[in-house]
Amino acid sequence: MLRAENLTKRYRQGEKEVVALEGFTYTFPRGATAIVGPSGSGKTTLLNLLAGLDLPTEGGVYLGEIPLHRLSEDERSEARLKHMGFVFQQWNLIPTLTAWENVAFPLLLAGWPPAKRRARALALLEGVGLSQRAHHLPNRLSGGEQQRVALARALALDPPILFADEPTGNLDAEAKEEMAALLFQAGKERTLILVTHDLELAARAERILHLKGGRLLREEVPRKVP
């Protein structure tokens, strides 16, 4: 379980103090939580703090009973590897590695032996419909295919927490729908935290958190159409 307590981030911009996030408290349950709000509302700041990619000015982030904000940089990196997966808007695939090698990369970092890495990566690619593209480099894949590889990589170590930052922002309508279906399917089995400008995508989550001016305005439970 991931929870934030009075999470606040301030920084200096010349002589001015900017409050990027203030007093955010929330416990993220299993399933999908979408975070929405206008540009500058604190969405990306919040994601970075929740993942331990940045440290708060005040408050804290707890991974179970582990105070993530009190760990060293190396300890936070280890926690991310073991407990978190990430899908970004820009895919961030390693251009010199094939699709399956990209998916297997977290397994390499975790010390898995070669045969098990390959088998796990190929199984994950099959799960996102890309088994036939396993040996292709990223530049031979479409944008939608690259994003599905990125999702498979994020799931390599079966993390209990999955972060997705604008995961459909660069995709056409068909690829967006494919990615959304896979993402929310993965979110049923873990805690999915989705940052998006796309309100239709957000409405597919179990709950929506609305941010504005660095503050949590409200939590919404979308009405599901039968």
Side-chain angles (χ1 to χ4, degrees), residues 85-88 91-93 102-103 106 120 124-125 127-130 143-159 162-164 167 178-187 190 192:
F86 297 86
V87 182
F88 299 101
W91 314 313
N92 293 343
L93 300 181
N102 266 282
V103 175
R120 172 67 173 160
L124 285 163
L125 285 174
V128 298
L130 288 177
E145 288 171 338
Q146 290 189 62
Q147 192 63 303
R148 282 186 278 157
V149 172
L151 175 60
R153 179 182 59 186
L155 299 176
L157 288 165
D158 196 21
L162 180 62
F163 290 100
E178 290 176 345
M179 183 62 190
L182 291 167
L183 187 65
F184 286 110
Q185 181 62 38
R190 50 184 52 84
L192 169 62

Side-chain angles (χ1 to χ4, degrees), residues 136-201:
H136 289 229
L137 292 172
N139 64 6
R140 294 185 59 199
L141 302 174
S142 70
E145 288 171 338
Q146 290 189 62
Q147 192 63 303
R148 282 186 278 157
V149 172
L151 175 60
R153 179 182 59 186
L155 299 176
L157 288 165
D158 196 21
I161 300 167
L162 180 62
F163 290 100
D165 189 2
E166 299 288 357
T168 63
N170 285 337
L171 304 181
D172 61 31
E174 182 179 352
K176 171 185 166 181
E177 178 54 36
E178 290 176 345
M179 183 62 190
L182 291 167
L183 187 65
F184 286 110
Q185 181 62 38
K188 291 179 180 179
E189 304 167 6
R190 50 184 52 84
T191 296
L192 169 62
I193 299 173
L194 166 67
V195 169
T196 184
H197 284 95
D198 186 337
L199 296 182
E200 289 185 5
L201 183 67

Side-chain angles (χ1 to χ4, degrees), residues 9-20:
K9 182 66 177 181
R10 302 187 184 97
Y11 61 92
R12 303 296 304 181
Q13 193 174 66
E15 297 297 314
K16 183 181 178 182
E17 182 181 69
V18 176
V19 180

Side-chain angles (χ1 to χ4, degrees), residues 2 5 7 53 55 82 85 96 98 108 131 154 204 219 224:
L2 187 70
E5 294 185 3
L7 206 54
L53 295 167
L55 293 174
K82 289 182 177 179
T96 56
T98 64
L108 174 65
S131 56
R204 297 171 69 160
E219 177 181 0
K224 303 298 181 182

